[in-house]
């Protein structure tokens, strides 16, 4: 099962980074290129423990839906979202937030699996791992941009 590990240093308070990471609005902004929309469940504000959201977006030339649920949360330190419905056989995304002297270290650990046996594993290895890493990197760049400037106020105020 592929695992993505990203570490992003953000020069902003941990609480702000944690909340921006849970923002439905900011997630949507970070995925504008896929026209990703929340269509069911929690569709605005900050997602919290036990809540689900269904996203609809165009990926790999096809309109797809993915439902995730927040299954774990420890305020300003960690949360985990897991797929409950979608094209993967499984998907788990842990978000960790560590306070440092000049801001926050945000750590993403994402595991996912695909159907279709050996063919699915080949797609994972030669395409999907890179594609998913790029999506997470874009999301993290957006969180960093908003957290380090006054843009965060538009999302959290």
């Amino acid at each position: 099962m592929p695992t993505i590990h990203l570490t992003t240093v953000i020069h902003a308070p941990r609480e702000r980074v944690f909340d921006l990471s849970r923002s439905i609005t900011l997630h949507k902004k970070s995925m504008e290129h896929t026209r990703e929309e929340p269509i069911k469940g929690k569709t605005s504000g900050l997602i919290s423990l036990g809540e689900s959201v269904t996203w609809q977006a165009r990926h790999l030339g096809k309109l797809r839906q993915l439902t995730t649920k927040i299954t774990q949360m420890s305020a300003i330190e960690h949360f985990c979202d897991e797929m409950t419905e979608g094209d993967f056989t499984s998907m788990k995304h842990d978000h960790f937030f560590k306070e440092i002297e000049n801001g926050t270290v945000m750590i993403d650990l994402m595991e996912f699996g695909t159907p279709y046996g050996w063919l699915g594993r080949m797609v994972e290895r030669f395409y999907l791992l890179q594609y998913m890493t790029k999506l997470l990197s874009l999301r993290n760049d957006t969180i960093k941009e908003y957290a380090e400037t006054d843009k965060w106020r538009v999302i959290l105020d």
Side-chain angles (χ1 to χ4, degrees):
M1 185 177 298
T3 301
I4 299 169
H5 178 184
L6 293 177
T7 301
T8 307
V9 175
I10 301 175
H11 301 289
R14 180 167 60 163
E15 184 175 0
R16 182 185 308 162
V17 177
F18 180 80
D19 286 347
L20 288 171
S21 296
R22 298 184 303 123
S23 169
I24 301 292
T25 302
L26 192 58
H27 181 88
K28 184 178 164 182
K29 285 184 180 297
S30 72
M31 295 293 128
E32 284 178 339
H33 65 287
T34 65
R35 295 190 285 281
E36 192 157 333
E37 291 287 334
I39 60 167
K40 190 172 23 169
K42 181 77 170 178
T43 58
S44 64
L46 303 181
I47 195 160
S48 294
L49 182 63
E51 294 181 322
S52 296
V53 59
T54 299
W55 294 97
Q56 182 170 281
R58 185 164 299 280
H59 292 284
L60 309 174
K62 181 181 173 191
L63 196 60
R64 300 173 188 274
Q65 292 184 2
L66 175 76
T67 302
T68 60
K69 180 177 184 176
I70 304 298
T71 58
Q72 299 173 39
M73 184 175 289
S74 177
I76 76 169
E77 294 178 358
H78 166 256
F79 71 93
C80 177
D81 57 283
E82 296 186 58
M83 182 193 81
T84 58
E85 291 181 50
D87 289 343
F88 296 111
T89 55
S90 65
M91 188 205 72
K92 181 179 179 184
H93 184 181
D94 280 293
H95 310 251
F96 296 94
F97 305 87
K98 305 289 183 191
E99 189 171 357
I100 57 173
E101 187 175 314
N102 59 349
T104 304
V105 173
M106 183 171 69
I107 300 166
D108 290 273
L109 292 175
M110 177 187 265
E111 297 177 329
F112 62 92
T114 56
Y116 311 120
W118 67 269
L119 182 59
R121 287 189 297 282
M122 296 302 280
V123 171
E124 286 173 0
R125 182 175 180 190
F126 293 109
Y127 181 76
L128 202 51
L129 182 60
Q130 182 179 356
Y131 182 79
M132 295 297 290
T133 301
K134 183 178 176 184
L135 286 179
L136 282 180
S137 293
L138 285 171
R139 178 182 175 277
N140 289 357
D141 290 347
T142 302
I143 292 168
K144 181 178 176 73
E145 175 189 345
Y146 275 71
E148 292 182 343
T149 66
D150 280 341
K151 289 182 176 184
W152 69 269
R153 294 180 189 281
V154 174
I155 303 297
L156 299 179
D157 276 353

